[in-house]
Amino acid sequence: MKKRVIFACTSGIATSTIATEKVKNYCAQHGIEVENIQSDVATVQSQDGMADLIIVTSKVSYDLEKTPIINGVPLITTIGEEDVLEEIVRILKGD
């Protein structure tokens, strides 16, 4: 199964790249191919509906109407990382 995921951080480059690799590897182990899009938190609201999931590594104070959004900070700090990865897979599989 192939899913589109937007990875966003403050700049759209640094921490979202780290999160992307972790998520892609974990999802591959669970039969999910991730098509990733790098973004920044300033444009995430305009990308609502463009992906199956949005993962942010910077704090955002909004929810989106069409696309689930996940706090990906644990992917950077590694504190609670496994729980976040499991939640990502659950959302992408539609469980």
Side-chain angles (χ1 to χ4, degrees):
M1 123 184 10
K2 188 172 187 176
K3 298 291 183 172
R4 180 178 283 172
V5 179
I6 295 172
F7 294 86
C9 64
T10 304
S11 67
I13 300 169
T15 58
S16 61
T17 301
I18 296 167
T20 300
E21 290 309 309
K22 288 183 178 185
V23 170
K24 286 181 81 166
N25 290 335
Y26 191 84
C27 285
Q29 295 171 13
H30 291 83
I32 303 168
E33 181 183 351
V34 171
E35 176 188 342
N36 62 293
I37 299 168
Q38 297 294 118
S39 188
D40 59 80
V41 294
T43 59
V44 164
Q45 286 179 296
S46 67
Q47 295 172 313
D48 192 13
M50 294 175 56
D52 298 290
L53 178 63
I54 297 174
I55 300 170
V56 295
T57 58
S58 300
K59 185 170 173 60
V60 295
S61 58
Y62 50 79
D63 290 320
L64 302 175
E65 290 182 26
K66 300 174 186 170
T67 311
I69 188 166
I70 297 247
N71 179 346
V73 171
L75 301 169
I76 308 306
T77 66
T78 70
I79 299 168
E81 179 179 76
E82 188 71 24
D83 291 337
V84 170
L85 289 168
E86 288 172 4
E87 183 178 2
I88 290 166
V89 166
R90 182 186 56 76
I91 289 169
L92 293 177
K93 286 188 170 184
D95 295 343

Coordinates of all heavy atoms in Angstrom, one line a residue:
M1 N 0.8 -1.2 0.0 CA 0.0 0.0 0.0 C 0.9 1.2 0.0 O 1.9 1.3 0.7 CB -0.9 -0.1 1.2 CG -0.9 1.0 2.2 SD -1.9 1.0 3.7 CE -2.5 -0.7 3.8
K2 N 0.5 2.2 -0.8 CA 1.3 3.4 -0.9 C 0.5 4.6 -0.3 O -0.6 4.8 -0.6 CB 1.7 3.7 -2.4 CG 2.6 4.9 -2.6 CD 3.1 5.0 -4.0 CE 4.1 6.0 -4.1 NZ 4.7 6.1 -5.5
K3 N 1.2 5.4 0.5 CA 0.6 6.5 1.2 C 1.4 7.8 1.0 O 2.6 7.7 1.0 CB 0.3 6.2 2.7 CG -0.6 5.1 3.0 CD -2.0 5.4 2.6 CE -2.9 4.3 2.9 NZ -4.3 4.6 2.8
R4 N 0.8 8.9 0.9 CA 1.5 10.2 0.8 C 1.5 10.8 2.2 O 0.4 11.0 2.8 CB 0.7 11.1 -0.2 CG 1.4 12.4 -0.4 CD 0.7 13.3 -1.4 NE 1.1 12.7 -2.7 CZ 0.6 13.1 -3.8 NH1 -0.4 14.0 -3.8 NH2 1.0 12.6 -5.0
V5 N 2.7 11.2 2.6 CA 2.9 11.8 3.9 C 3.7 13.1 3.7 O 4.7 13.1 3.1 CB 3.6 10.9 4.9 CG1 3.8 11.6 6.2 CG2 2.8 9.6 5.1
I6 N 3.1 14.2 4.3 CA 3.9 15.5 4.4 C 4.6 15.6 5.7 O 4.1 15.3 6.7 CB 2.9 16.7 4.2 CG1 2.2 16.6 2.9 CG2 3.6 18.0 4.4 CD1 1.1 17.7 2.7
F7 N 5.9 15.9 5.6 CA 6.8 16.1 6.8 C 7.1 17.5 6.8 O 7.7 18.1 5.9 CB 8.0 15.2 6.6 CG 7.8 13.7 6.7 CD1 7.5 13.1 5.5 CD2 7.9 13.1 7.8 CE1 7.3 11.7 5.5 CE2 7.6 11.7 7.9 CZ 7.3 11.0 6.7
A8 N 6.8 18.2 7.9 CA 7.0 19.6 8.0 C 7.8 20.0 9.3 O 7.5 19.4 10.4 CB 5.7 20.4 8.0
C9 N 8.7 20.9 9.2 CA 9.4 21.5 10.3 C 9.4 23.0 10.1 O 8.8 23.5 9.1 CB 10.7 20.9 10.5 SG 11.9 21.2 9.2
T10 N 10.1 23.7 10.9 CA 10.2 25.2 10.8 C 10.8 25.6 9.4 O 10.2 26.4 8.7 CB 11.0 25.8 11.9 OG1 10.5 25.4 13.1 CG2 11.0 27.3 11.8
S11 N 11.9 25.0 9.0 CA 12.5 25.3 7.7 C 12.1 24.5 6.6 O 12.3 24.8 5.4 CB 14.0 25.2 7.9 OG 14.4 23.9 8.0
G12 N 11.6 23.3 6.8 CA 11.2 22.4 5.8 C 12.4 21.5 5.3 O 12.3 20.8 4.3
I13 N 13.5 21.5 6.1 CA 14.7 20.8 5.7 C 15.2 19.9 6.8 O 15.3 18.7 6.7 CB 15.8 21.7 5.2 CG1 15.3 22.5 4.0 CG2 17.0 21.0 4.9 CD1 16.2 23.7 3.6
A14 N 15.5 20.5 7.9 CA 16.3 19.8 8.9 C 15.6 18.7 9.7 O 15.8 17.5 9.3 CB 16.9 20.8 9.9
T15 N 14.9 19.0 10.7 CA 14.3 17.9 11.5 C 13.3 17.1 10.7 O 13.1 15.9 11.0 CB 13.7 18.4 12.8 OG1 12.7 19.4 12.5 CG2 14.7 19.1 13.7
S16 N 12.6 17.6 9.8 CA 11.6 16.9 9.0 C 12.3 15.8 8.2 O 11.8 14.7 8.0 CB 10.8 17.7 8.1 OG 11.6 18.4 7.1
T17 N 13.6 16.0 7.8 CA 14.3 15.0 7.1 C 14.7 13.8 8.0 O 14.6 12.6 7.5 CB 15.6 15.6 6.5 OG1 15.3 16.7 5.6 CG2 16.4 14.6 5.7
I18 N 15.0 14.1 9.2 CA 15.3 13.0 10.1 C 14.0 12.2 10.4 O 14.0 10.9 10.3 CB 15.8 13.5 11.5 CG1 17.1 14.2 11.3 CG2 15.9 12.5 12.6 CD1 17.6 15.1 12.5
A19 N 12.9 12.8 10.6 CA 11.6 12.1 10.8 C 11.2 11.3 9.6 O 10.7 10.2 9.7 CB 10.5 13.2 11.1
T20 N 11.5 11.9 8.4 CA 11.1 11.2 7.1 C 11.8 9.8 7.1 O 11.1 8.8 6.8 CB 11.5 12.0 5.9 OG1 10.8 13.3 6.0 CG2 11.2 11.3 4.6
E21 N 13.0 9.8 7.3 CA 13.8 8.5 7.2 C 13.3 7.5 8.2 O 13.1 6.3 7.9 CB 15.3 8.7 7.3 CG 15.9 9.4 6.2 CD 15.5 8.8 4.8 OE1 15.7 7.6 4.6 OE2 15.1 9.5 3.9
K22 N 13.0 7.9 9.4 CA 12.5 7.0 10.5 C 11.2 6.4 10.1 O 10.9 5.2 10.2 CB 12.5 7.6 11.8 CG 13.8 7.9 12.4 CD 13.7 8.5 13.8 CE 15.1 8.7 14.4 NZ 15.0 9.1 15.8
V23 N 10.3 7.3 9.6 CA 8.9 6.9 9.3 C 8.9 6.0 8.1 O 8.2 5.0 8.1 CB 8.0 8.1 9.1 CG1 6.7 7.7 8.5 CG2 7.8 8.9 10.4
K24 N 9.7 6.3 7.1 CA 9.7 5.5 5.8 C 10.2 4.1 6.2 O 9.6 3.1 5.7 CB 10.6 6.2 4.8 CG 9.9 7.3 4.1 CD 10.8 8.0 3.1 CE 10.7 7.2 1.8 NZ 11.2 7.9 0.6
N25 N 11.2 4.0 7.0 CA 11.8 2.7 7.3 C 10.8 1.9 8.2 O 10.6 0.7 7.9 CB 13.1 2.8 8.1 CG 14.2 3.3 7.2 OD1 14.2 3.2 6.0 ND2 15.2 4.0 7.8
Y26 N 10.2 2.5 9.1 CA 9.2 1.8 10.0 C 8.0 1.4 9.2 O 7.5 0.2 9.3 CB 8.8 2.7 11.2 CG 8.0 2.0 12.2 CD1 8.7 1.3 13.2 CD2 6.6 2.0 12.2 CE1 8.0 0.7 14.2 CE2 5.9 1.4 13.2 CZ 6.6 0.7 14.2 OH 5.9 0.0 15.2
C27 N 7.5 2.2 8.4 CA 6.3 1.9 7.6 C 6.6 0.8 6.6 O 5.8 -0.1 6.4 CB 5.8 3.1 6.8 SG 4.9 4.3 7.9
A28 N 7.8 0.8 6.0 CA 8.2 -0.3 5.1 C 8.2 -1.6 5.8 O 7.7 -2.6 5.2 CB 9.6 0.0 4.5
Q29 N 8.5 -1.7 7.0 CA 8.5 -2.9 7.8 C 7.1 -3.4 8.0 O 6.8 -4.5 8.3 CB 9.2 -2.7 9.1 CG 10.7 -2.5 9.1 CD 11.2 -2.1 10.4 OE1 10.6 -2.2 11.4 NE2 12.4 -1.5 10.4
H30 N 6.1 -2.5 7.8 CA 4.7 -2.8 8.0 C 3.9 -2.8 6.7 O 2.7 -2.7 6.7 CB 4.1 -1.8 9.1 CG 4.6 -2.0 10.4 ND1 5.8 -1.5 10.9 CD2 4.1 -2.8 11.5 CE1 6.0 -1.9 12.1 NE2 5.0 -2.7 12.5
G31 N 4.6 -2.9 5.6 CA 4.0 -3.0 4.3 C 3.4 -1.8 3.7 O 2.5 -1.8 2.9
I32 N 3.9 -0.6 4.2 CA 3.4 0.7 3.7 C 4.6 1.4 3.0 O 5.6 1.6 3.6 CB 2.9 1.6 4.8 CG1 1.8 0.8 5.6 CG2 2.4 2.9 4.3 CD1 1.4 1.5 6.9
E33 N 4.3 1.7 1.7 CA 5.3 2.5 1.0 C 4.9 4.0 1.2 O 3.8 4.4 1.0 CB 5.3 2.2 -0.5 CG 6.3 3.0 -1.3 CD 6.2 2.6 -2.8 OE1 5.5 1.7 -3.2 OE2 6.8 3.4 -3.5
V34 N 5.9 4.8 1.6 CA 5.6 6.2 1.9 C 6.2 7.1 0.8 O 7.4 7.0 0.5 CB 6.2 6.7 3.3 CG1 6.1 8.2 3.5 CG2 5.5 5.9 4.4
E35 N 5.3 7.9 0.2 CA 5.7 8.9 -0.7 C 5.8 10.2 0.1 O 4.8 10.7 0.6 CB 4.7 9.1 -1.8 CG 5.0 10.3 -2.8 CD 3.9 10.6 -3.7 OE1 3.0 9.7 -3.9 OE2 3.9 11.7 -4.3
N36 N 7.0 10.7 0.3 CA 7.1 11.8 1.2 C 7.2 13.2 0.5 O 7.7 13.3 -0.6 CB 8.4 11.7 2.1 CG 9.7 11.6 1.3 OD1 9.9 10.6 0.6 ND2 10.5 12.6 1.5
I37 N 6.7 14.2 1.1 CA 6.7 15.6 0.7 C 7.3 16.4 1.8 O 6.8 16.3 2.9 CB 5.3 16.1 0.3 CG1 4.7 15.2 -0.8 CG2 5.4 17.6 -0.1 CD1 3.3 15.5 -1.0
Q38 N 8.4 17.1 1.6 CA 9.0 18.0 2.6 C 8.3 19.3 2.5 O 7.9 19.8 1.4 CB 10.5 18.2 2.3 CG 11.3 16.9 2.4 CD 11.4 16.3 3.8 OE1 10.9 15.2 4.0 NE2 11.9 17.0 4.7
S39 N 8.0 19.9 3.7 CA 7.3 21.1 3.8 C 7.8 21.9 5.0 O 8.6 21.4 5.7 CB 5.8 20.9 3.8 OG 5.1 22.1 3.7
D40 N 7.2 23.1 5.2 CA 7.4 23.8 6.4 C 6.1 24.1 7.1 O 5.0 24.1 6.4 CB 8.2 25.1 6.1 CG 7.5 26.0 5.1 OD1 6.5 26.7 5.6 OD2 7.8 26.0 3.9
V41 N 6.1 24.4 8.4 CA 4.9 24.5 9.1 C 4.1 25.7 8.6 O 2.8 25.8 8.8 CB 5.1 24.6 10.6 CG1 5.6 23.2 11.1 CG2 6.0 25.7 11.0
A42 N 4.7 26.7 8.0 CA 4.0 27.9 7.6 C 3.0 27.6 6.4 O 2.1 28.3 6.2 CB 5.0 29.0 7.1
T43 N 3.3 26.5 5.7 CA 2.4 26.2 4.5 C 1.5 25.0 4.7 O 0.7 24.6 3.9 CB 3.3 25.9 3.3 OG1 4.2 24.9 3.5 CG2 4.1 27.2 2.9
V44 N 1.7 24.3 5.9 CA 0.9 23.1 6.1 C -0.6 23.3 6.0 O -1.3 22.5 5.4 CB 1.2 22.5 7.5 CG1 0.2 21.5 8.0 CG2 2.6 21.9 7.5
Q45 N -1.1 24.4 6.5 CA -2.6 24.6 6.4 C -3.1 24.6 5.0 O -4.2 24.2 4.7 CB -3.0 25.9 7.2 CG -2.9 25.7 8.7 CD -3.3 26.9 9.5 OE1 -2.6 27.9 9.4 NE2 -4.4 26.9 10.2
S46 N -2.3 25.2 4.1 CA -2.7 25.2 2.7 C -2.5 23.9 2.0 O -3.0 23.7 0.9 CB -1.9 26.3 1.9 OG -0.5 25.9 1.9
Q47 N -1.9 22.9 2.7 CA -1.7 21.6 2.1 C -2.8 20.6 2.6 O -2.7 19.4 2.3 CB -0.3 21.1 2.4 CG 0.7 21.9 1.7 CD 2.1 21.6 2.1 OE1 2.4 21.5 3.3 NE2 3.0 21.5 1.1
D48 N -3.7 21.0 3.4 CA -4.8 20.1 3.9 C -5.5 19.4 2.7 O -5.9 20.1 1.8 CB -5.8 21.0 4.7 CG -6.7 20.1 5.5 OD1 -6.5 18.9 5.7 OD2 -7.8 20.7 6.0
G49 N -5.6 18.1 2.8 CA -6.2 17.3 1.8 C -5.3 16.8 0.7 O -5.7 16.1 -0.2
M50 N -4.0 17.2 0.8 CA -3.0 16.8 -0.3 C -2.3 15.5 0.1 O -1.5 15.0 -0.7 CB -2.0 17.9 -0.5 CG -2.6 19.2 -1.1 SD -1.4 20.5 -1.2 CE -0.1 19.8 -2.1
A51 N -2.5 15.0 1.3 CA -1.8 13.8 1.7 C -2.7 13.0 2.7 O -3.7 13.4 3.1 CB -0.5 14.2 2.5
D52 N -2.2 11.8 3.0 CA -2.9 10.9 3.9 C -2.6 11.3 5.3 O -3.4 10.9 6.2 CB -2.5 9.4 3.6 CG -2.9 9.0 2.2 OD1 -4.1 8.9 2.0 OD2 -2.0 8.8 1.4
L53 N -1.5 11.9 5.6 CA -1.1 12.3 6.9 C 0.0 13.4 6.8 O 0.7 13.5 5.9 CB -0.4 11.1 7.6 CG 0.1 11.2 9.0 CD1 -1.0 11.6 10.0 CD2 0.9 9.9 9.4
I54 N -0.1 14.3 7.9 CA 1.0 15.3 8.0 C 1.7 15.1 9.3 O 1.0 15.0 10.4 CB 0.4 16.7 7.9 CG1 -0.3 16.9 6.5 CG2 1.4 17.8 8.2 CD1 -1.0 18.2 6.3
I55 N 3.0 15.1 9.3 CA 3.8 14.9 10.5 C 4.6 16.2 10.7 O 5.3 16.6 9.8 CB 4.7 13.7 10.4 CG1 3.9 12.4 10.2 CG2 5.6 13.6 11.7 CD1 4.6 11.2 9.9
V56 N 4.5 16.8 11.8 CA 5.2 18.1 12.1 C 6.2 17.9 13.2 O 5.9 17.2 14.2 CB 4.2 19.3 12.4 CG1 3.3 19.6 11.2 CG2 3.4 19.0 13.6
T57 N 7.4 18.5 13.0 CA 8.4 18.4 14.1 C 8.6 19.8 14.7 O 9.6 20.0 15.4 CB 9.7 17.9 13.5 OG1 10.1 18.7 12.5 CG2 9.6 16.5 13.0
S58 N 7.6 20.7 14.5 CA 7.6 22.0 15.2 C 6.2 22.1 15.8 O 5.2 21.5 15.2 CB 7.8 23.1 14.2 OG 9.1 23.0 13.6
K59 N 6.0 22.8 16.8 CA 4.7 23.0 17.4 C 3.8 23.8 16.5 O 4.2 24.8 15.9 CB 4.9 23.8 18.7 CG 3.6 23.9 19.5 CD 3.8 24.4 20.9 CE 2.5 24.7 21.6 NZ 1.7 23.6 21.9
V60 N 2.6 23.2 16.3 CA 1.5 23.9 15.6 C 0.3 24.0 16.5 O 0.0 23.1 17.3 CB 1.2 23.3 14.3 CG1 2.3 23.3 13.3 CG2 0.7 21.8 14.5
S61 N -0.5 25.1 16.3 CA -1.6 25.3 17.2 C -2.9 25.2 16.5 O -3.9 25.9 16.8 CB -1.5 26.7 17.8 OG -1.4 27.7 16.8
Y62 N -3.0 24.4 15.5 CA -4.2 24.2 14.7 C -4.4 22.7 14.3 O -3.5 21.9 14.3 CB -4.1 25.0 13.4 CG -2.9 24.9 12.6 CD1 -2.7 23.8 11.8 CD2 -1.8 25.8 12.7 CE1 -1.5 23.6 11.0 CE2 -0.7 25.6 11.9 CZ -0.5 24.5 11.1 OH 0.6 24.4 10.4
D63 N -5.7 22.4 14.0 CA -6.0 21.1 13.5 C -6.4 21.4 12.0 O -6.8 22.5 11.7 CB -7.2 20.5 14.3 CG -6.8 20.1 15.7 OD1 -5.7 19.5 15.8 OD2 -7.6 20.3 16.6
L64 N -6.4 20.3 11.3 CA -6.8 20.4 9.9 C -8.2 19.7 9.7 O -8.5 18.8 10.4 CB -5.8 19.9 9.0 CG -4.4 20.5 9.1 CD1 -3.4 19.7 8.3 CD2 -4.4 22.0 8.7
E65 N -8.9 20.1 8.7 CA -10.2 19.6 8.4 C -10.2 18.2 7.7 O -10.9 17.3 8.0 CB -11.1 20.5 7.5 CG -11.5 21.7 8.2 CD -12.4 22.6 7.4 OE1 -13.0 22.1 6.4 OE2 -12.4 23.8 7.6
K66 N -9.2 18.0 6.8 CA -9.2 16.8 5.9 C -8.1 15.8 6.3 O -8.2 14.7 6.0 CB -9.1 17.2 4.5 CG -10.2 18.1 4.0 CD -10.0 18.6 2.6 CE -11.0 19.6 2.2 NZ -10.7 20.2 0.9
T67 N -7.0 16.3 6.8 CA -5.8 15.5 6.9 C -5.4 15.4 8.4 O -5.3 16.4 9.1 CB -4.6 16.1 6.2 OG1 -5.0 16.4 4.8 CG2 -3.4 15.1 6.1
P68 N -5.2 14.2 8.9 CA -4.7 14.0 10.3 C -3.3 14.6 10.4 O -2.5 14.6 9.4 CB -4.7 12.5 10.5 CG -5.3 11.9 9.3 CD -5.4 12.9 8.3
I69 N -3.1 15.2 11.5 CA -1.8 15.8 11.8 C -1.2 15.3 13.1 O -1.9 15.1 14.1 CB -1.9 17.4 11.8 CG1 -0.5 18.0 11.9 CG2 -2.8 17.9 12.9 CD1 -0.5 19.5 11.5
I70 N 0.1 14.9 13.0 CA 0.7 14.2 14.2 C 1.9 15.0 14.6 O 2.7 15.5 13.8 CB 1.2 12.8 13.7 CG1 0.1 11.9 13.4 CG2 2.1 12.2 14.8 CD1 -0.2 10.8 14.3
N71 N 2.1 15.1 15.9 CA 3.3 15.7 16.5 C 4.5 14.7 16.3 O 4.5 13.7 17.0 CB 3.1 16.1 17.9 CG 4.3 16.7 18.6 OD1 5.4 16.7 18.1 ND2 4.0 17.3 19.7
G72 N 5.4 15.1 15.5 CA 6.6 14.2 15.3 C 7.8 14.5 16.1 O 8.9 13.9 15.8
V73 N 7.7 15.3 17.1 CA 8.9 15.7 17.9 C 9.5 14.4 18.6 O 10.7 14.3 18.6 CB 8.5 16.7 19.0 CG1 9.6 16.9 20.0 CG2 8.1 18.1 18.3
P74 N 8.7 13.4 19.0 CA 9.4 12.2 19.6 C 10.3 11.5 18.6 O 11.2 10.8 19.0 CB 8.2 11.3 20.0 CG 7.1 12.3 20.3 CD 7.3 13.4 19.2
L75 N 10.1 11.7 17.3 CA 11.0 11.1 16.3 C 12.3 11.8 16.3 O 13.3 11.2 15.9 CB 10.3 11.2 14.9 CG 9.0 10.6 14.7 CD1 8.4 11.0 13.4 CD2 9.1 9.1 14.8
I76 N 12.4 13.0 16.9 CA 13.7 13.7 17.0 C 14.3 13.4 18.3 O 15.5 13.1 18.4 CB 13.5 15.2 16.8 CG1 12.7 15.5 15.5 CG2 14.8 15.9 16.8 CD1 13.3 14.9 14.2
T77 N 13.5 13.5 19.4 CA 14.0 13.3 20.7 C 14.2 11.8 21.1 O 14.9 11.5 22.1 CB 13.1 14.0 21.8 OG1 11.8 13.3 21.8 CG2 12.9 15.4 21.5
T78 N 13.5 11.0 20.4 CA 13.4 9.5 20.7 C 12.6 9.2 21.9 O 12.3 8.0 22.2 CB 14.7 8.8 20.7 OG1 15.4 9.1 21.9 CG2 15.6 9.1 19.5
I79 N 12.1 10.2 22.6 CA 11.2 9.9 23.8 C 9.8 9.7 23.3 O 9.2 10.7 22.8 CB 11.3 11.1 24.8 CG1 12.8 11.2 25.3 CG2 10.4 10.8 26.0 CD1 13.0 12.5 26.1
G80 N 9.3 8.5 23.4 CA 8.0 8.2 23.0 C 7.9 7.9 21.5 O 6.9 7.8 20.9
E81 N 9.1 7.7 20.9 CA 9.2 7.4 19.4 C 8.4 6.2 19.0 O 7.6 6.3 18.0 CB 10.6 7.3 19.0 CG 10.9 7.0 17.6 CD 12.3 6.9 17.3 OE1 12.9 5.8 17.6 OE2 12.9 7.8 16.7
E82 N 8.5 5.1 19.7 CA 7.8 3.9 19.3 C 6.3 4.1 19.2 O 5.6 3.7 18.3 CB 8.1 2.7 20.2 CG 7.6 1.4 19.7 CD 8.3 0.9 18.5 OE1 9.4 1.2 18.2 OE2 7.7 0.0 17.8
D83 N 5.7 4.8 20.2 CA 4.3 5.1 20.3 C 3.9 5.9 19.1 O 2.8 5.7 18.5 CB 3.9 5.9 21.5 CG 4.0 5.0 22.8 OD1 4.0 3.7 22.7 OD2 4.2 5.6 23.9
V84 N 4.6 6.9 18.7 CA 4.3 7.8 17.5 C 4.4 6.9 16.3 O 3.5 7.0 15.4 CB 5.3 9.0 17.5 CG1 5.1 9.7 16.1 CG2 5.0 9.9 18.6
L85 N 5.4 6.1 16.1 CA 5.5 5.3 14.9 C 4.3 4.3 14.8 O 3.8 4.1 13.7 CB 6.8 4.5 14.9 CG 8.1 5.4 14.7 CD1 9.3 4.6 15.0 CD2 8.1 5.9 13.3
E86 N 3.9 3.7 15.9 CA 2.8 2.8 15.9 C 1.5 3.6 15.5 O 0.7 3.1 14.8 CB 2.6 2.2 17.2 CG 3.7 1.1 17.5 CD 3.6 0.6 18.9 OE1 2.7 1.0 19.7 OE2 4.5 -0.2 19.3
E87 N 1.3 4.8 16.0 CA 0.2 5.6 15.7 C 0.2 6.0 14.2 O -0.9 6.0 13.5 CB 0.1 6.9 16.5 CG -1.1 7.7 16.3 CD -1.2 9.0 17.1 OE1 -0.3 9.3 17.9 OE2 -2.2 9.7 17.0
I88 N 1.3 6.3 13.6 CA 1.4 6.6 12.2 C 1.0 5.4 11.4 O 0.2 5.6 10.4 CB 2.9 7.0 11.9 CG1 3.2 8.4 12.5 CG2 3.1 7.0 10.4 CD1 4.6 8.8 12.5
V89 N 1.4 4.2 11.7 CA 1.0 3.0 11.0 C -0.4 2.8 11.1 O -1.1 2.5 10.1 CB 1.9 1.8 11.4 CG1 1.3 0.5 10.9 CG2 3.3 2.0 10.9
R90 N -1.0 3.0 12.3 CA -2.4 2.8 12.5 C -3.2 3.7 11.6 O -4.2 3.3 11.0 CB -2.8 3.0 14.0 CG -4.2 2.8 14.3 CD -4.5 3.1 15.8 NE -4.2 4.5 16.1 CZ -4.9 5.6 15.8 NH1 -5.9 5.5 15.0 NH2 -4.5 6.8 16.2
I91 N -2.8 5.0 11.6 CA -3.6 5.9 10.8 C -3.4 5.6 9.3 O -4.4 5.6 8.6 CB -3.0 7.4 11.0 CG1 -3.5 7.8 12.4 CG2 -3.5 8.4 10.0 CD1 -2.8 9.1 12.9
L92 N -2.3 5.3 8.8 CA -2.1 5.0 7.4 C -2.8 3.7 7.0 O -3.2 3.6 5.8 CB -0.6 5.0 7.1 CG 0.2 6.3 7.2 CD1 1.6 6.1 6.9 CD2 -0.4 7.3 6.3
K93 N -2.9 2.8 7.9 CA -3.6 1.5 7.5 C -5.1 1.7 7.7 O -5.9 0.8 7.3 CB -3.1 0.4 8.4 CG -1.8 -0.1 8.0 CD -1.4 -1.4 8.7 CE -0.2 -2.0 8.1 NZ 0.1 -3.3 8.8
G94 N -5.5 2.8 8.3 CA -7.0 3.0 8.5 C -7.6 2.3 9.6 O -8.8 2.0 9.6
D95 N -6.8 1.8 10.6 CA -7.3 1.1 11.7 C -7.9 2.0 12.8 O -7.6 3.1 13.0 CB -6.2 0.3 12.4 CG -5.6 -0.8 11.5 OD1 -6.3 -1.1 10.5 OD2 -4.5 -1.3 11.8

